Amino acid sequence: MHAFQAMSISLFYVKCVKIGDMGILGLSKVLADIVPHAIRESEIKNYFGRKVAVDASMSLYQFLIAVRSEGAQLTTVDGETTSHLMGTFYRTIRLIENGIKPVYVFDGKPPQMKSGELNKRAERREEAQKALDKATEQGDLAEMEKFNRRLVKVTPQHANEAKQLLTLMGVPYIDAPCEAEAQCAAMVRSGKVFAVATEDMDALTFGSSVLLRHMTVSEAKKVPIQEFHLDKILEGLHLTQYEFIDLCILLGCDYTDSIRGIGPKRAVDLITQYRSIETILDNIDTTKYPPPENWSYKAARQLFLEPEITDPDQVELKWNDPDEEGLVKYLCGDKQFNEDRIRNGAKKLMKARGTSTQGRLDSFFTVLSTTPAKRKVENKKQTPNKRGKADRGKGRGKAK
């Protein structure tokens, strides 16, 4: 019997715990402390009728971490992991039942500059594996579970299986040529979607006008969704987008190390006073605050300013009916899900499409081209406060 048959859907939601700050080190706390007015807490029902770009790789990681039975990932009798499929299936249904129009965006090839961060993650996994082996020898179940979670990694197989599932559910997805957060941010700026749903704060660094945290990892009544507004952040910090990017690099990003000895408060003070990393380096004691050797902050800045993306104009909004028989064949065959629950889920999707929400559920993404395109950005010194203006101008209430 599949492990899910012994676990209720409500328990599944409770187990989807919050993932820590990612993307830009400590940025969410900095913003909460300095510009709390730029963040508002909301419930999932308030996004009825909204189109949202979901960071797919982040969601899969969350499900692999959180959807478990007796401390282990859910698997078939043959040991094939299915936590990511269960999470994707039920979380997507929940979004759609709340009138949200999700489009999943998957990571492409990571930029070369991210290799250092990826190497660090690999080293941490090696350390976790050693600790797990030791805990296993000692029979320490708590430590075994802790280090098992640290070994979680989203693989191409996980992503491909999730894409197959989304296709059967009638839910669109996009393969980003590079970073998913960058692609999501471009979709928001173009007005294709209202916001990015991710835990990675660097969606703001890439220029997304609205970022939603905790939308895909919690019950709305237990952990509120956090809605970050970039225009209010820049206004409150008195920074341009260009300067905000430099602040994020100073705080710590995935592409390069930061200046040793400079914490979040000092980083904010420095960027507010000097406005750029170049000027900061000219005015600080680099013997006391040594920058990384051959510091590649300029290249990191450029990655945030001009990420490799697919032009949002090349994607069209579209929605398809779920394939109930296809879902049953895929999930209840080798994956060993409960057929009654899968059919029930498929019917919920159809009901959401066939009721009063139909007028707002008939425009979803379908990929017309996957050719990578470089985005032409605005003048580096210009703030992006007007980006996404058309989308923000749309009503938050019931759509026509």
Side-chain angles (χ1 to χ4, degrees):
M1 182 175 71
H2 193 285
F4 174 64
Q5 296 183 33
M7 182 169 67
S8 69
I9 295 176
S10 60
L11 177 59
F12 158 65
Y13 287 142
V14 171
K15 287 169 73 66
C16 278
V17 294
K18 184 169 67 173
I19 306 296
D21 215 7
M22 304 184 74
I24 305 298
L25 187 62
L27 178 58
S28 63
K29 186 178 188 307
V30 168
L31 299 181
D33 290 343
I34 302 176
V35 287
H37 64 279
I39 310 167
R40 76 181 188 97
E41 293 188 345
S42 187
E43 297 181 46
I44 194 169
K45 66 181 182 181
N46 295 329
Y47 300 97
F48 188 89
R50 291 293 193 186
K51 303 179 186 73
V52 176
V54 179
D55 182 347
S57 298
M58 170 60 68
S59 293
L60 294 181
Y61 176 75
Q62 292 164 345
F63 296 140
L64 290 169
I65 286 279
V67 183
R68 291 173 174 254
S69 177
E70 298 179 354
Q73 290 178 344
L74 302 186
T75 64
T76 65
V77 293
D78 298 323
E80 183 180 351
T81 301
T82 56
S83 293
H84 59 302
L85 295 176
M86 183 201 296
T88 300
F89 185 68
Y90 284 102
R91 187 62 67 188
T92 302
I93 291 172
R94 177 173 176 254
L95 293 175
I96 293 171
E97 283 191 307
N98 279 277
I100 295 169
K101 308 170 183 179
V103 53
Y104 285 80
V105 182
F106 288 83
D107 278 320
K109 183 179 180 180
Q112 181 60 38
M113 283 197 68
K114 200 171 184 177
S115 60
E117 172 63 21
L118 296 177
N119 289 336
K120 290 178 183 177
R121 294 178 188 177
E123 291 173 2
R124 289 195 290 268
R125 279 195 296 272
E126 288 181 8
E127 294 173 358
Q129 184 63 60
K130 293 177 182 178
L132 174 61
D133 293 340
K134 182 178 179 181
T136 302
E137 290 178 5
Q138 298 174 345
D140 190 332
L141 297 180
E143 288 292 288
M144 288 169 61
E145 180 174 354
K146 179 176 76 173
F147 290 112
N148 259 317
R149 291 173 184 267
R150 293 185 184 179
L151 288 169
V152 167
K153 181 181 179 181
V154 177
T155 67
Q157 180 178 343
H158 292 143
N160 289 334
E161 289 175 344
K163 292 173 188 178
Q164 185 173 351
L165 174 59
L166 290 169
T167 299
L168 293 169
M169 295 178 76
V171 177
Y173 69 84
I174 295 172
D175 284 315
C178 197
E179 300 276 46
E181 309 96 289
Q183 184 68 50
C184 289
M187 306 297 279
V188 178
R189 286 195 306 274
S190 71
K192 293 283 188 176
V193 297
F194 167 69
V196 180
T198 183
E199 303 308 297
D200 267 338
M201 294 296 293
D202 57 5
L204 295 171
T205 324
F206 282 116
S208 177
S209 54
V210 183
L211 166 64
L212 303 176
R213 298 189 83 203
H214 315 328
M215 173 168 275
T216 62
V217 298
S218 65
E219 280 290 67
K221 292 183 180 180
K222 298 181 183 299
V223 180
I225 294 169
Q226 288 185 320
E227 184 174 315
F228 292 78
H229 288 266
L230 182 58
D231 57 350
K232 294 180 180 179
I233 290 170
L234 297 178
E235 180 183 1
L237 293 175
H238 305 291
L239 299 177
T240 66
Q241 178 67 11
Y242 186 90
E243 293 162 350
F244 178 67
I245 288 172
D246 275 13
L247 170 61
C248 292
I249 294 171
L250 289 172
L251 291 173
C253 67
D254 288 343
Y255 304 133
T256 186
D257 292 327
S258 53
I259 300 175
R260 188 182 309 165
I262 293 181
K265 184 180 184 305
R266 178 72 168 149
V268 172
D269 291 342
L270 287 171
I271 201 67
T272 300
Q273 181 176 1
Y274 297 115
R275 320 308 293 184
S276 73
I277 292 176
E278 286 88 346
T279 311
I280 290 172
L281 292 175
D282 288 339
N283 286 277
I284 63 172
D285 183 352
T286 54
T287 60
K288 183 177 180 181
Y289 302 107
E293 187 177 356
N294 300 317
W295 195 19
S296 55
Y297 69 88
K298 290 183 180 180
R301 178 196 289 152
Q302 197 62 24
L303 276 175
F304 285 121
L305 286 169
E306 294 188 352
E308 186 179 2
I309 60 164
T310 296
D311 186 347
D313 290 338
Q314 296 181 27
V315 291
E316 182 181 322
L317 304 182
K318 187 175 175 60
W319 181 251
N320 297 311
D321 289 337
D323 180 353
E324 180 175 342
E325 296 306 319
L327 284 167
V328 170
K329 182 178 179 181
Y330 182 57
L331 293 178
C332 304
D334 292 341
K335 308 301 181 186
Q336 301 166 12
F337 280 74
N338 180 281
E339 182 174 342
D340 289 341
R341 283 175 170 157
I342 298 306
R343 289 192 181 279
N344 183 51
K347 286 177 173 56
K348 287 182 178 180
L349 290 172
M350 285 299 296
K351 181 179 180 181
R353 182 161 167 74
T355 59
S356 60
T357 63
Q358 183 171 356
R360 283 166 286 165
L361 290 173
D362 59 356
S363 296
F364 282 75
F365 288 102
T366 181
V367 178
L368 299 182
S369 172
T370 57
T371 303
K374 286 280 189 176
R375 178 176 59 85
K376 300 298 184 181
V377 298
E378 300 173 5
N379 184 288
K380 290 189 287 187
K381 293 293 184 180
Q382 182 178 343
T383 66
N385 291 5
K386 295 184 180 180
R387 290 173 178 168
K389 182 177 179 182
D391 192 61
R392 290 198 303 276
K394 297 176 183 177
R396 287 179 177 272
K398 292 183 178 180
K400 293 181 180 179

